[in-house]
Structure formats: structure tokens, C-alpha cells
């Protein structure tokens, strides 16, 4: 039975569960368990099945602090409890990793039966003991007895105990064991807590007769008690930096340390102590934060500090373990030191008229960090450089000031220059009352013998254009800087683009030599420049410039730049054209212009819409197409002008300002017709001349068939390889047996033969003597004999010798040379290879007394067809 207060608690729990969570519970909502009236610490009430709550970590809490729920779902008493007669109730909260929460009511009673809704059977007997602890690094002898476990089922059964898991069958294997018949747990060696802070294994109780487990397995947790066996250790960097002259309390950095012993105990409570530098720094004993205890840190005095730091556990107790390390504190630079000059003043020398030269190096010292903006110097000339003759910059390597003369100095005007130079840094000064320093610099100008100097570097003269030649327009003289006199100085002209000015050598007078024209392209912006040179007795020289400002006169009339115009004729409308005029003169000698038609206008044109520089020209009547000349008088503002002619082409336009092409019939005039008639007459005379020439017969010139050397008639369009050579083409004459005997198988000489419509003059001619062919070189050695010079032979002997050599040649080309001369073969029509330089073998060549038979060596590829024919005939017995 529940009292009213318990009933109210349960009602509230049920209301929260119903209102806050609609997700289906992963555990049962109610658990009833029968327990003894007195619950000792460690008593296992029951076990909740958490398999349906997922695989993530669960949050398990009990509303009653006298009970706890372990991660495996075991509900266990942690305090001594007395269960009332009417029972005891509390609830368990289960929360998964997604934030879902469920509530489970637990009802305990000392009487009655357990509800069938329990996940596991209740523990019928109580295991003992509860979780216990073992000191790490325990000393032997081993094994040592720890605790005894026992199950209440031992009252009814004979039991033996078995343990499994971490420390037994898992790492660290063999650390624990159990005496099977008594349940005494034993430890077999020292344990390192830093490696195994807690060991959990499972104990089982079995019936010795049937080996059946008589009770639920009991998880046993062995807590390893910590021993202060690990000194603290430094962790993280121990290199710090802080700005010099920083205020007191500025944080330098934090020293970090760790201890492997059990957290949140004295074994890991570390105390930090500074061993040196305590007058400049301090360290917080518990946090390890280093701060500055003075504002006098000076990087230029000490740039780096090394601090000894002790860390000790047990909060610094004498029996604590300690360690010592070193922290490095570097001071960062600030610009608290201005650059200082090494001398109180500086002196330098420079030659007059010198420019862009280094005069002086000014060194400085700076204690700040080198090559930083706090150290790099910047120089300024604060006095004495009003004329801009000097320039100073910094040498990036040495940090010195480099003083240059950029504009020449004049000894006669200023023999000594006094300057003041200031040196500062790129960064402003901080943390100091010092200011930027200045130093005086005296520069002595050394005198040199200088050339003449003109009175002014540039002389401006005003001259009207078109002044007469020889007009004096000005005088440009120079003086010697040393003597201040112009005596002995001569003047010359260096530059005069148009040769308009003459310079008088001894006086410096400037006179016109040619007409000065303001409208000349040599004039720019109404000015014309010349350069004059002055030379003294020592041949020193100086130059000056004369700028002539040319004043305009009215020497140009307005001109019409486009006198040729096109007027497009349109049906029903009269066009107009714009006539513009230009005048090279300036105002008031130019526009506005006045326009007036000339006397020869005849009333065909009129002027309208005049402006200052243009006027519209339009016809007063419809004009036929053609060319018209319109005289127009154009005058400037002063009434100075002349009459000019505008040529107007009136036509139909294809596009604006361009006449369309005209038909021939419309452009053909009287002269065109006359030209056509003249051409026809000339053509008729040419025909009559041709008829007269063709009717005149020429004399026939007989071709003498004598012994005069002749030629060979060939078709002009004939292509290689030549006429076809056949056996029937070798014709033997009816007479001349001696010739037959002397040249059997060869060509017939001295006869006219016609082959294929071609006439050959076969008189004996000289054979070509060229012996170089496209396919190789022939010589007398090829045929095994030497040729005789023809001048030593009679005519008949010559024929015989020719026959012999030709026979050998034919055999060579037929047999021996077939492989060597690959091109000496028949080619198809159209072959355009290289032929024989000896010419055609279809006729005879001229033979003279001075020539030998060497031509046989030069018979090339074209000779092979004849060789084939002649050799075949010889094999058939033909002679």
C-alpha cells in the first residue's frame, strides 16, 4: 500500500512522461522487485534491458541517491536502506544520444511476488563483496588475497567460482585469479594506475554437480588507487616575447604542466615557482602565468632573459615530486632611441657646374633593432636648400645619409653653402622624451674656369612676319663669369631650322636672313627657336636660346580647299552644296569671311545661309546634268580676298556626293561617233593589206640533196621515248655494197627515208662527243678496245670502224649493261626522264676530221631500243 505522498509522486512522474515524450520508450515503464527488508550497499536490485535503446552512449540516472544504475542496466544499492512495509518507489531516467528521455518506475516491496514484467529474473541470492580497490605499485610477495566473493546459493548448492574478462583472460592477462572453491580473489603483481585506472571482470557461480550457473554473473570493478609516482612535466612551448618598457602586470605567457597521476587530487595539484629574475618577472603559483613586475625592461640593455621555473605536485609540499625547466623571454623593440650623428658638424666640397654627384656621406648611430623601421633613418635638408640644388637619401645598407648636388652651383654667386640636415626614423618615437637630431653641413664650392654666360638663358623677341631681310630684331650677348666682361667673345649660330636669322659674330646682333613666315611648318604656336653659342678667348663656350614670337600680318587670302563639288539632282527638288573657306592668318585677318558670286554667274546660282567660314551654293533654276563653273569672291574681315572658281558636277547620285554610272548612249557625243568611224576605216585598210600580201607568191627554194651536212626534221610536239624502232626501219640501199660491207646491221647513210610521216636527212654528220649520261659514264674501256682518231682513217675505213664499234655497243646494251643501267629500258608513252645527251639516233650526225669515235661512249638510254632491234636481226642472220 502506498501513502498519499508516494501516490502524488507517481502521478507527477506519469504526467511528465505523458506530456513531454511522445517517442516510444526503449525500456519498460514499471519494474517491481522483491527485496530484503534491509538493503546493504552493493545489493543488486534488478537489471534493466537496454538493448532497445540503440548503440550510442546512454545517460542513466536514479531519482533516489541510495540507488544507482550502471551502464549495463544493473540497479544497485549504494547506501544502507530499510524498505518500509508498504514498499519503496523511485524512478530511473534513460536518455539516448539524440536527447530522447524515458522514465521507468521502480517499486520495491519486502513481501509479495515480483511482477512478470521484469526484464530479468530477480537476484534470488546476494553476491558479495561490492566494488573494491587495490593500490598501484603494490609490493609483494605475490599473489595477494584481495576480497572474497560468495553467492547465497551456496546455502543450497555446492559451488565453485570462475572469473573472466579484463585482468584475467583479457589484458592485463593473469593479473587476477579466484580460488574456485572459496571465491577468494587474488592479485598476482603490481598494477600501474596510469595504464589501468579501473579493471572490470565478471564472476560466475556454478553447481559443482551439474556445472549449471546458479546465479546471475556478477560484474566486479577493481579500482586502482593512485600513488604519487609521476612528477609533473612541462607541456607546450616555453618561449615568450614581451615589448620593452611595457607596464607592470603585462602578461608574458603561460607555463603549462601536466601530471599523469589521478586528476583532481593532490598528486596532480602543481605549484609553479620562479627561481630567478624575480625582480623583473613573477609567476602565478597555481596557473603558471608569467607577468612583468617592472616597467624598466630595456631591449638595448638586455635583449633576452632565461628564467628557471620549478613545477612541484602535492601543491608544493616537501614530499611532492618536482621538475625544473627554462623559459626564454625575449624583448621586442620599440623606437625609443632616435638616430644620433657621429659628428657635431660635417663639411664637404663640390666643383661648380657639377650636377648629380655625391658630395658627402653622413653616418648615424641607432640602438634600436637593425633593419627595422625603428632603425632605418630618413634624412631631410631643413635649411639652406631653398634653390633645390641638393638632394639627400638613405643608403639602405649602411643607413648613412647620401648628400647629392642635383643642380649646378655657381662659385661666383655662392662660394659656400650652409645646410642643416635632420635624421629621423621611419617609425615614430615612443617611450622616450628624446627628439630628432639635426646637424650643420657646410659645402664649399670650388671655382673653375667657366665659359661665357648669356645675359638670360632664354631671350624672347617679338617680330612681325615678312619683315625685310637684314632687319635687326635684337642683340643677344654673353659675359665672362670671371671678368664680368663681354670683350673677346664671338657668337655663332648652332641651330636655325629655316636659316631665317643671321648672328653677327662680334656683336651678337640678330638680323633676318630670309622671310619670316608665321604660317611656315617650322613655326610652332607662333614661335620660332634658334640656339646661339658664345666662345671666349680660352675657347670656353656657353649656349643660349632665342625664342622669336612671330606676329601675324594679313598676307594670306581666304581659300576654298574643296573647289570640286557634286550636286545631286533629284526630281522636284533643287539641292545645294556647302562651300567652305579657310585663311592661314589669325584674327582679325581671317574670318568671318564674306562671300559674293562673280560676274559670270548669269543668274543660275545664288548664295544662302552664310556663316563665318562657309556659305550654301544652290541653283536658281533646274539645271541639266553636266559640269558648271561658278565664280565666287571670298574676302576676309579686312576685305582682302580674290575670286575663285567652284566646279559643280550636276548629276544623278548613287549615294550622297557621288555620281551614279552613266549609260553609254547618254554619254556618247559627236567625238565618240567620229572615233568609232575612224576605227572602222582603219580596220578596212588592214583587211585590204592582208589580201594584198596573201596574193603574192614566193619563190620555191629547192633542197639540195648533196653532201652538205644536214639536220633532222622532228615533230614539235613529240614526247619521249621517241618513234618506235622496228626491224623494218633499218633499210639497206640497193647499191653501195662496200658501204653495206663496212656497216652491216647499221642505219643507212646518204639516203632519205620517211618513217611515220617524218623526213630524215640521213647524210653523214658528225657524232656528238659528249660521254656523260644521266645513268653513268662511258669510256673506251667498256668495249674492250680503243677508238682511232677519225682524221687518220679513210672514209671507207671509218665506216668499217663504225660498224665494229656499233656492234659491240649493241651487244653491251643488250646483255652486259642491262643490270647496270636500270633506265636503259623501254618506257611507256609520256616518259619524261633524262634522255641521252648525244641526241636522237634516228639520223646521222656530222662527222668531221677533227672528231673521234668517242661519241659511242655517250649513247644513253634512247639507244637501247635500236640495240634490241639490231641485235635481234643479227641473231636471225641478217647482215
Amino acid at each position: 500500500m502506498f501513502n498519499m505522498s508516494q501516490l502524488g509522486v507517481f502521478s507527477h512522474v506519469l504526467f511528465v512522461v505523458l506530456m513531454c515524450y511522445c517517442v516510444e520508450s526503449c525500456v519498460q515503464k514499471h519494474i517491481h522487485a522483491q527485496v530484503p527488508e534491509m538493503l546493504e550497499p552493493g545489493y543488486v536490485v534488478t537489471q534493466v534491458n537496454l538493448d532497445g535503446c540503440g548503440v550510442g552512449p546512454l545517460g542513466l540516472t536514479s531519482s533516489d541517491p541510495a540507488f544507482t544504475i550502471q551502464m549495463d542496466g544493473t540497479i544497485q544499492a549504494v547506501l544502507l536502506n530499510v524498505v518500509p512495509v508498504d514498499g519503496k518507489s523511485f524512478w530511473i531516467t534513460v536518455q539516448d544520444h539524440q536527447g530522447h528521455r524515458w522514465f521507468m518506475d521502480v517499486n520495491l516491496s519486502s513481501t509479495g511476488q515480483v511482477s512478470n514484467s521484469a526484464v530479468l529474473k530477480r537476484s534470488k541470492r546476494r553476491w558479495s563483496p561490492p566494488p573494491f580497490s587495490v593500490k598501484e605499485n603494490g609490493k609483494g610477495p605475490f599473489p595477494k588475497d584481495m576480497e572474497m566473493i560468495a553467492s547465497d546459493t551456496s546455502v543450497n548448492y555446492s559451488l565453485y567460482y570462475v572469473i573472466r574478462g579484463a585482468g584475467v583472460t583479457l589484458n592485463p592477462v593473469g593479473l587476477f585469479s579466484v580460488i574456485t572453491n572459496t571465491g577468494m580473489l587474488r592479485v598476482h603483481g603490481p598494477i600501474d594506475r596510469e595504464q589501468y585506472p579501473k579493471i572490470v571482470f565478471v564472476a560466475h557461480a556454478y553447481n559443482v554437480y551439474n556445472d549449471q550457473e546458479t546465479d546471475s554473473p556478477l560484474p566486479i570493478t577493481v579500482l586502482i588507487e593512485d600513488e604519487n609516482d609521476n612528477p609533473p612535466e612541462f607541456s607546450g612551448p616555453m618561449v615568450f616575447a614581451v615589448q620593452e618598457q611595457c607596464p607592470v602586470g603585462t602578461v608574458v605567457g603561460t607555463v603549462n604542466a601536466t601530471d599523469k597521476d589521478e586528476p583532481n587530487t593532490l598528486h596532480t595539484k602543481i605549484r609553479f615557482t620562479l627561481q630567478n629574475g624575480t625582480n623583473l618577472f613573477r609567476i602565478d603559483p597555481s596557473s603558471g602565468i608569467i607577468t612583468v613586475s617592472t616597467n624598466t625592461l630595456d631591449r638595448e640593455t638586455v635583449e633576452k632573459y632565461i628564467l628557471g621555473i620549478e613545477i612541484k605536485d602535492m601543491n608544493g609540499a616537501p614530499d611532492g615530486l618536482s621538475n625544473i625547466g627554462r623559459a626564454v623571454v625575449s624583448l621586442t623593440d620599440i623606437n625609443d632611441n632616435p638616430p644620433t650623428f657621429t659628428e657635431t658638424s660635417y663639411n664637404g666640397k663640390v666643383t661648380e657646374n657639377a650636377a648629380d654627384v655625391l658630395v658627402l656621406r653622413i653616418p648615424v648611430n641607432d640602438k634600436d633593432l637593425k633593419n627595422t623601421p625603428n632603425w632605418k633613418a630618413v634624412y631631410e635638408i631643413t635649411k639652406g636648400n631653398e634653390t633645390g640644388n641638393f638632394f639627400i637619401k638613405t643608403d639602405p645598407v649602411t643607413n648613412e645619409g647620401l648628400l647629392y648636388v642635383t643642380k649646378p652651383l655657381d662659385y661666383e654667386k655662392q662660394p659656400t653653402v650652409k645646410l642643416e640636415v635632420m635624421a629621423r626614423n621611419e617609425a615614430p618615437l615612443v617611450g622616450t622624451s628624446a627628439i630628432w637630431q639635426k646637424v650643420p653641413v657646410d659645402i664649399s664650392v670650388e671655382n673653375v674656369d667657366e665659359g661665357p654666360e648669356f645675359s638670360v638663358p632664354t631671350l624672347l623677341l617679338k617680330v612681325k612676319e615678312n619683315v625685310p631681310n637684314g632687319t635687326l630684331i635684337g642683340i643677344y650677348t654673353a659675359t665672362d663669369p670671371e671678368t664680368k666682361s663681354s670683350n673677346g667673345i664671338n657668337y655663332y649660330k648652332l641651330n636655325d631650322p629655316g636659316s631665317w636669322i643671321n648672328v653677327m659674330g662680334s656683336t651678337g646682333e640678330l638680323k633676318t636672313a630670309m622671310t619670316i613666315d608665321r604660317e611656315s611648318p617650322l613655326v610652332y604656336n607662333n614661335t620660332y627657336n634658334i640656339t646661339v653659342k658664345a666662345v671666349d678667348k680660352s675657347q670656353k663656350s656657353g649656349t643660349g636660346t632665342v625664342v622669336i614670337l612671330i606676329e601675324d600680318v594679313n598676307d594670306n587670302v581666304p581659300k576654298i580647299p574643296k573647289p570640286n563639288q557634286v550636286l545631286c539632282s533629284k526630281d522636284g527638288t533643287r539641292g545645294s552644296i556647302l562651300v567652305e573657306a579657310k585663311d592661314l592668318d589669325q584674327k582679325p585677318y581671317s574670318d568671318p569671311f564674306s562671300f559674293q558670286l562673280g560676274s559670270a554667274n548669269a543668274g543660275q546660282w545664288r548664295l544662302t545661309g552664310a556663316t563665318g567660314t562657309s556659305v550654301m551654293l544652290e541653283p536658281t533654276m533646274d539645271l541639266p546634268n553636266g559640269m558648271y563653273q561658278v565664280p565666287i569672291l571670298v574676302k576676309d574681315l579686312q576685305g582682302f580676298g580674290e575670286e575663285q572658281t567652284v566646279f559643280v558636277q550636276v548629276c544623278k547620285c548613287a549615294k550622297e556626293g557621288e555620281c551614279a554610272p552613266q549609260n553609254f548612249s547618254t554619254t556618247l557625243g559627236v567625238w565618240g561617233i567620229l572615233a568609232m568611224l575612224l576605227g572602222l576605216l582603219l580596220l578596212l585598210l588592214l583587211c585590204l593589206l592582208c589580201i594584198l600580201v596573201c596574193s603574192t607568191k614566193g619563190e620555191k627554194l629547192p633542197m639540195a640533196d648533196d653532201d652538205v651536212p644536214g639536220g633532222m626534221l622532228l615533230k614539235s610536239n613529240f614526247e619521249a621515248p621517241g618513234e618506235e624502232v622496228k626491224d623494218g626501219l633499218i633499210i639497206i640501199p640497193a647499191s653501195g655494197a662496200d658501204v653495206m660491207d663496212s656497216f652491216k646491221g647499221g642505219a643507212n647513210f646518204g639516203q632519205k627515208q620517211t618513217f611515220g610521216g617524218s623526213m630524215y636527212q640521213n647524210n653523214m654528220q658528225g657524232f656528238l662527243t659528249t660521254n656523260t649520261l644521266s645513268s653513268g659514264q662511258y669510256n673506251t674501256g667498256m668495249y674492250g678496245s680503243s677508238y682511232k682518231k677519225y682524221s687518220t682513217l679513210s672514209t671507207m675505213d671509218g665506216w668499217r670502224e663504225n660498224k665494229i664499234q656499233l656492234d659491240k655497243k649493241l651487244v653491251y646494251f643488250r646483255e652486259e649493261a642491262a643490270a647496270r643501267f636500270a633506265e636503259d629500258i623501254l618506257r611507256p608513252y609520256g616518259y619524261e626522264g633524262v634522255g641521252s645527251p648525244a641526241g636522237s639516233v634516228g639520223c646521222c650526225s656530222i662527222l668531221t676530221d677533227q672528231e673521234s669515235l668517242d661519241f659511242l661512249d655517250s649513247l644513253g638510254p634512247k639507244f637501247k631500243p635500236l640495240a634490241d632491234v639490231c641485235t635481234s636481226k643479227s641473231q636471225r642472220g641478217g647482215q
Side-chain angles (χ1 to χ4, degrees), residues 122-133:
R122 66 176 180 83
S123 298
K124 296 181 180 180
R125 299 290 185 265
R126 182 179 65 84
W127 281 89
S128 63
F132 56 90
S133 61

PDB file of all heavy atoms in Angstrom, residues 122-133:
ATOM      1  N   ARG A 122      14.841 -11.745 -10.914  1.00  0.00           N
ATOM      2  CA  ARG A 122      15.487 -11.044  -9.820  1.00  0.00           C
ATOM      3  C   ARG A 122      16.601 -11.909  -9.251  1.00  0.00           C
ATOM      4  O   ARG A 122      16.630 -13.123  -9.445  1.00  0.00           O
ATOM      5  CB  ARG A 122      14.476 -10.738  -8.716  1.00  0.00           C
ATOM      6  CG  ARG A 122      13.940 -11.967  -8.018  1.00  0.00           C
ATOM      7  CD  ARG A 122      13.023 -11.578  -6.881  1.00  0.00           C
ATOM      8  NE  ARG A 122      12.503 -12.762  -6.216  1.00  0.00           N
ATOM      9  CZ  ARG A 122      13.156 -13.435  -5.273  1.00  0.00           C
ATOM     10  NH1 ARG A 122      14.371 -13.047  -4.908  1.00  0.00           N
ATOM     11  NH2 ARG A 122      12.627 -14.503  -4.700  1.00  0.00           N
ATOM     12  N   SER A 123      17.503 -11.254  -8.593  1.00  0.00           N
ATOM     13  CA  SER A 123      18.586 -11.996  -7.936  1.00  0.00           C
ATOM     14  C   SER A 123      18.016 -12.690  -6.711  1.00  0.00           C
ATOM     15  O   SER A 123      17.599 -12.035  -5.754  1.00  0.00           O
ATOM     16  CB  SER A 123      19.713 -11.043  -7.528  1.00  0.00           C
ATOM     17  OG  SER A 123      20.264 -10.434  -8.671  1.00  0.00           O
ATOM     18  N   LYS A 124      18.023 -13.996  -6.797  1.00  0.00           N
ATOM     19  CA  LYS A 124      17.486 -14.749  -5.657  1.00  0.00           C
ATOM     20  C   LYS A 124      18.450 -14.730  -4.484  1.00  0.00           C
ATOM     21  O   LYS A 124      18.050 -14.885  -3.362  1.00  0.00           O
ATOM     22  CB  LYS A 124      17.213 -16.189  -6.070  1.00  0.00           C
ATOM     23  CG  LYS A 124      16.134 -16.298  -7.129  1.00  0.00           C
ATOM     24  CD  LYS A 124      15.883 -17.743  -7.501  1.00  0.00           C
ATOM     25  CE  LYS A 124      14.802 -17.887  -8.557  1.00  0.00           C
ATOM     26  NZ  LYS A 124      14.555 -19.300  -8.930  1.00  0.00           N
ATOM     27  N   ARG A 125      19.701 -14.554  -4.811  1.00  0.00           N
ATOM     28  CA  ARG A 125      20.710 -14.536  -3.754  1.00  0.00           C
ATOM     29  C   ARG A 125      21.584 -13.306  -3.934  1.00  0.00           C
ATOM     30  O   ARG A 125      21.692 -12.754  -5.025  1.00  0.00           O
ATOM     31  CB  ARG A 125      21.581 -15.804  -3.810  1.00  0.00           C
ATOM     32  CG  ARG A 125      20.771 -17.067  -3.614  1.00  0.00           C
ATOM     33  CD  ARG A 125      20.274 -17.165  -2.170  1.00  0.00           C
ATOM     34  NE  ARG A 125      19.606 -18.417  -1.938  1.00  0.00           N
ATOM     35  CZ  ARG A 125      18.275 -18.598  -2.031  1.00  0.00           C
ATOM     36  NH1 ARG A 125      17.520 -17.584  -2.413  1.00  0.00           N
ATOM     37  NH2 ARG A 125      17.733 -19.770  -1.776  1.00  0.00           N
ATOM     38  N   ARG A 126      22.228 -12.881  -2.934  1.00  0.00           N
ATOM     39  CA  ARG A 126      23.070 -11.685  -2.983  1.00  0.00           C
ATOM     40  C   ARG A 126      24.523 -12.085  -3.147  1.00  0.00           C
ATOM     41  O   ARG A 126      25.023 -12.937  -2.441  1.00  0.00           O
ATOM     42  CB  ARG A 126      22.909 -10.889  -1.685  1.00  0.00           C
ATOM     43  CG  ARG A 126      23.721  -9.597  -1.670  1.00  0.00           C
ATOM     44  CD  ARG A 126      23.460  -8.869  -0.357  1.00  0.00           C
ATOM     45  NE  ARG A 126      23.947  -9.645   0.773  1.00  0.00           N
ATOM     46  CZ  ARG A 126      25.215  -9.619   1.204  1.00  0.00           C
ATOM     47  NH1 ARG A 126      26.096  -8.883   0.581  1.00  0.00           N
ATOM     48  NH2 ARG A 126      25.576 -10.333   2.263  1.00  0.00           N
ATOM     49  N   TRP A 127      25.171 -11.405  -4.130  1.00  0.00           N
ATOM     50  CA  TRP A 127      26.612 -11.566  -4.293  1.00  0.00           C
ATOM     51  C   TRP A 127      27.343 -10.651  -3.321  1.00  0.00           C
ATOM     52  O   TRP A 127      26.830  -9.640  -2.877  1.00  0.00           O
ATOM     53  CB  TRP A 127      27.037 -11.163  -5.718  1.00  0.00           C
ATOM     54  CG  TRP A 127      26.781 -12.203  -6.777  1.00  0.00           C
ATOM     55  CD1 TRP A 127      25.668 -12.344  -7.498  1.00  0.00           C
ATOM     56  CD2 TRP A 127      27.693 -13.203  -7.221  1.00  0.00           C
ATOM     57  NE1 TRP A 127      25.794 -13.369  -8.386  1.00  0.00           N
ATOM     58  CE2 TRP A 127      27.056 -13.933  -8.248  1.00  0.00           C
ATOM     59  CE3 TRP A 127      28.985 -13.594  -6.845  1.00  0.00           C
ATOM     60  CZ2 TRP A 127      27.646 -14.989  -8.918  1.00  0.00           C
ATOM     61  CZ3 TRP A 127      29.567 -14.636  -7.525  1.00  0.00           C
ATOM     62  CH2 TRP A 127      28.908 -15.333  -8.537  1.00  0.00           C
ATOM     63  N   SER A 128      28.529 -11.013  -3.010  1.00  0.00           N
ATOM     64  CA  SER A 128      29.384 -10.155  -2.195  1.00  0.00           C
ATOM     65  C   SER A 128      30.823 -10.373  -2.675  1.00  0.00           C
ATOM     66  O   SER A 128      31.149 -11.457  -3.178  1.00  0.00           O
ATOM     67  CB  SER A 128      29.252 -10.499  -0.703  1.00  0.00           C
ATOM     68  OG  SER A 128      29.699 -11.818  -0.435  1.00  0.00           O
ATOM     69  N   PRO A 129      31.711  -9.378  -2.598  1.00  0.00           N
ATOM     70  CA  PRO A 129      31.558  -8.075  -1.954  1.00  0.00           C
ATOM     71  C   PRO A 129      31.206  -7.014  -2.997  1.00  0.00           C
ATOM     72  O   PRO A 129      31.175  -7.291  -4.193  1.00  0.00           O
ATOM     73  CB  PRO A 129      32.948  -7.850  -1.385  1.00  0.00           C
ATOM     74  CG  PRO A 129      33.851  -8.444  -2.432  1.00  0.00           C
ATOM     75  CD  PRO A 129      33.117  -9.635  -2.972  1.00  0.00           C
ATOM     76  N   PRO A 130      30.995  -5.773  -2.591  1.00  0.00           N
ATOM     77  CA  PRO A 130      30.817  -4.667  -3.528  1.00  0.00           C
ATOM     78  C   PRO A 130      32.163  -4.295  -4.170  1.00  0.00           C
ATOM     79  O   PRO A 130      33.194  -4.895  -3.843  1.00  0.00           O
ATOM     80  CB  PRO A 130      30.300  -3.553  -2.619  1.00  0.00           C
ATOM     81  CG  PRO A 130      30.879  -3.855  -1.293  1.00  0.00           C
ATOM     82  CD  PRO A 130      30.918  -5.349  -1.207  1.00  0.00           C
ATOM     83  N   PRO A 131      32.185  -3.276  -5.085  1.00  0.00           N
ATOM     84  CA  PRO A 131      33.459  -2.873  -5.716  1.00  0.00           C
ATOM     85  C   PRO A 131      34.511  -2.545  -4.680  1.00  0.00           C
ATOM     86  O   PRO A 131      34.229  -1.953  -3.656  1.00  0.00           O
ATOM     87  CB  PRO A 131      33.059  -1.622  -6.527  1.00  0.00           C
ATOM     88  CG  PRO A 131      31.619  -1.820  -6.808  1.00  0.00           C
ATOM     89  CD  PRO A 131      31.047  -2.514  -5.625  1.00  0.00           C
ATOM     90  N   PHE A 132      35.752  -2.935  -4.965  1.00  0.00           N
ATOM     91  CA  PHE A 132      36.841  -2.693  -4.028  1.00  0.00           C
ATOM     92  C   PHE A 132      38.021  -2.117  -4.801  1.00  0.00           C
ATOM     93  O   PHE A 132      38.020  -2.064  -6.037  1.00  0.00           O
ATOM     94  CB  PHE A 132      37.230  -3.985  -3.304  1.00  0.00           C
ATOM     95  CG  PHE A 132      37.594  -5.110  -4.223  1.00  0.00           C
ATOM     96  CD1 PHE A 132      38.910  -5.281  -4.643  1.00  0.00           C
ATOM     97  CD2 PHE A 132      36.628  -6.016  -4.664  1.00  0.00           C
ATOM     98  CE1 PHE A 132      39.239  -6.320  -5.486  1.00  0.00           C
ATOM     99  CE2 PHE A 132      36.972  -7.061  -5.503  1.00  0.00           C
ATOM    100  CZ  PHE A 132      38.268  -7.218  -5.921  1.00  0.00           C
ATOM    101  N   SER A 133      39.024  -1.691  -4.088  1.00  0.00           N
ATOM    102  CA  SER A 133      40.172  -1.019  -4.712  1.00  0.00           C
ATOM    103  C   SER A 133      41.458  -1.708  -4.319  1.00  0.00           C
ATOM    104  O   SER A 133      41.541  -2.357  -3.277  1.00  0.00           O
ATOM    105  CB  SER A 133      40.216   0.452  -4.300  1.00  0.00           C
ATOM    106  OG  SER A 133      40.357   0.584  -2.905  1.00  0.00           O
TER     107      SER A 133
END
